[in-house]
Amino acid sequence: MIRALLAAAYVVFALVPTARADDALDLRLRHLESGLRCLVCQNQTLAESDADLAADLRLEVRKLALAGKSDDEIRDYLVARYGDFVLYDPPLKPVTWLLWFGPFVLLAAGTVTWIVVGRSRRRATPGVKAEFEVAARNLLAGAAASPAGAAPAGVGQAETDSGDAARQPLDG
Amino acid sequence: MTLKSLRWLIPIAVFAVIAAFLYAGLFRDPREVPSPLIGKPAPAFSLAELHAPDRRLSPSDMRGQVWLLNVWASWCVSCREEHPLLVALAKTGIVPIVGLDYKDKPGDGRAWLTDNGNPYRTSVMDSDGRTGIDWGVYGVPETYVVDRAGIIRYKQIGPLTEQTLKQTILPLVRRLQAS
């Protein structure tokens, strides 16, 4: 009985480390393949594609990994054959500058436009307001001259008309 | 008419540029991935010949002449489409064509050539697709133009058409042969 248990334990402990090493490799390859594009179904990664070629390439990637190649070396191996297109993360080089920096250039251009337009608008507003200000001052001066101005009931017909005319721009 | 009064043109111009790019994009095939192997030496292989498995062919055997490598397979549907063109091209004798029988059973490949005609000087067997990976093959058929020095000059992805053959491949072959 004890012997059987020991034998079982031996088998289990003998198996566990290799299983772990395999898991680690699987995990590493899965991570690596998730960043690689399948050439056949171009919107799938190498990890998730069912295409024949993807299976072949996964096998190739595993062979390279088992031969001790690093992730970068494996990526270079595929890029040499299929081009940068296999990388979901395109490398930074003169041809891809527009791709990498284009959005930031657009963002900067948008921000500059926004600021310039905002400024010219703010500068334009006081000019319009000056007319209103004069009208408002006139109105206030008129109201101050007539003590009844505060009480609408006491305001005469003619005065109300001119008052309304003066008030109009204020509403607008 | 000041510059300021033309400001309304800016959004229209931006729109026109974007529209031009998108319009051009309509006529580009996203499946055609430019090969990094153009201008590079043809990847080496030494593969058994389809009709004489005890003999092997390698790209260095073709050194000194301009040649085509055509990737085909008996299971490949669009290969049937381009095959008559290859047979006709082989008859002219302008350029030797080497076939790469990609991930195929030798018996199937031989039978297919018997049925459809054999335009190839030699076909070699890439049963496990390893050589295909080295050449960056990702869809059959594909056709490569290799120059005298063994440099890949052109890659056609998908079936050859009369147009690509007459307008691109044959002029290129003649130019390479003349140089």
Side-chain angles (χ1 to χ4, degrees):
Chain A
M1 181 65 197
I2 287 171
R3 204 180 254 192
L5 272 178
L6 276 176
Y10 179 78
V11 168
V12 167
F13 280 107
L15 284 177
V16 163
T18 51
R20 277 214 189 117
D22 275 357
D23 283 353
L25 180 67
D26 280 348
L27 214 65
R28 182 190 148 198
L29 291 183
R30 215 173 156 70
H31 180 74
L32 176 64
E33 284 158 3
S34 304
L36 297 169
R37 187 191 304 273
C38 169
L39 275 295
V40 184
C41 343
Q42 296 179 347
N43 289 327
Q44 280 191 313
T45 67
L46 206 53
E48 64 197 4
S49 175
D50 282 331
D52 252 12
L53 180 68
D56 287 356
L57 287 175
R58 278 198 297 269
L59 194 70
E60 206 54 39
V61 164
R62 179 173 287 269
K63 268 193 215 157
L64 290 170
L66 287 174
K69 299 271 191 247
S70 72
D71 286 8
D72 281 341
E73 285 170 322
I74 295 173
R75 267 190 285 265
D76 288 347
Y77 170 91
L78 288 169
V79 168
R81 284 156 180 77
Y82 296 101
D84 290 337
F85 192 78
V86 294
L87 303 174
Y88 262 109
D89 204 1
L92 191 57
K93 52 188 194 184
V95 213
T96 58
W97 281 355
L98 189 64
L99 180 71
W100 278 100
F101 302 124
F104 297 105
V105 170
L106 284 180
L107 183 69
T111 313
V112 168
T113 311
W114 186 44
I115 290 172
V116 166
V117 168
R119 269 207 189 140
S120 65
R121 229 173 242 173
R122 217 171 306 135
R123 221 178 300 118
T125 23
V128 181
K129 265 199 180 147
E131 291 166 29
F132 290 126
E133 215 178 315
V134 170
R137 271 183 207 289
N138 284 344
L139 185 65
L140 283 171
S146 132
V155 176
Q157 193 62 45
E159 265 183 311
T160 316
D161 280 345
S162 69
D164 278 350
R167 211 174 279 130
Q168 213 70 57
L170 268 182
D171 291 335
Chain B
M1 224 27 190
T2 61
L3 271 180
K4 250 190 171 165
S5 67
L6 288 174
R7 268 199 319 199
W8 58 274
L9 276 173
I10 294 173
I12 295 176
V14 170
F15 171 79
V17 168
I18 293 172
F21 272 99
L22 293 178
Y23 184 76
L26 287 178
F27 303 100
R28 288 170 54 97
D29 184 356
R31 302 196 64 84
E32 280 191 22
V33 181
S35 172
L37 289 166
I38 309 289
K40 300 240 168 73
F45 60 75
S46 174
L47 292 173
E49 293 180 8
L50 182 65
H51 288 97
D54 50 322
R55 277 205 314 222
R56 291 182 163 264
L57 181 88
S58 105
S60 53
D61 299 335
M62 302 299 288
R63 198 56 69 86
Q65 51 188 332
V66 180
W67 56 289
L68 303 186
L69 182 90
N70 178 251
V71 185
W72 65 279
S74 67
W75 48 262
C76 155
V77 180
S78 34
C79 294
R80 287 168 196 275
E81 217 174 284
E82 67 167 10
H83 206 70
L85 280 172
L86 287 172
V87 173
L89 177 63
K91 277 202 186 113
T92 65
I94 294 173
V95 61
I97 312 168
V98 172
L100 185 76
D101 190 10
Y102 179 74
K103 300 196 80 173
D104 208 356
K105 293 196 188 88
D108 292 351
R110 280 190 290 265
W112 195 81
L113 288 184
T114 311
D115 291 347
N116 296 285
N118 184 357
Y120 305 111
R121 169 172 291 189
T122 314
S123 269
V124 291
M125 295 182 282
D126 182 23
S127 307
D128 58 1
R130 274 283 315 125
T131 299
I133 291 178
D134 281 344
W135 282 67
V137 171
Y138 67 91
V140 192
E142 286 184 9
T143 306
Y144 298 80
V145 179
V146 185
D147 72 8
R148 289 180 200 282
I151 308 286
I152 295 180
R153 292 298 184 171
Y154 180 78
K155 176 184 181 183
Q156 162 80 24
I157 295 155
L160 294 168
T161 61
E162 210 161 334
Q163 200 189 0
T164 51
L165 203 58
K166 282 202 175 128
Q167 289 179 3
T168 313
I169 293 179
L170 286 179
L172 175 66
V173 164
R174 288 208 186 88
R175 212 163 53 239
L176 293 172
Q177 283 172 339
S179 67

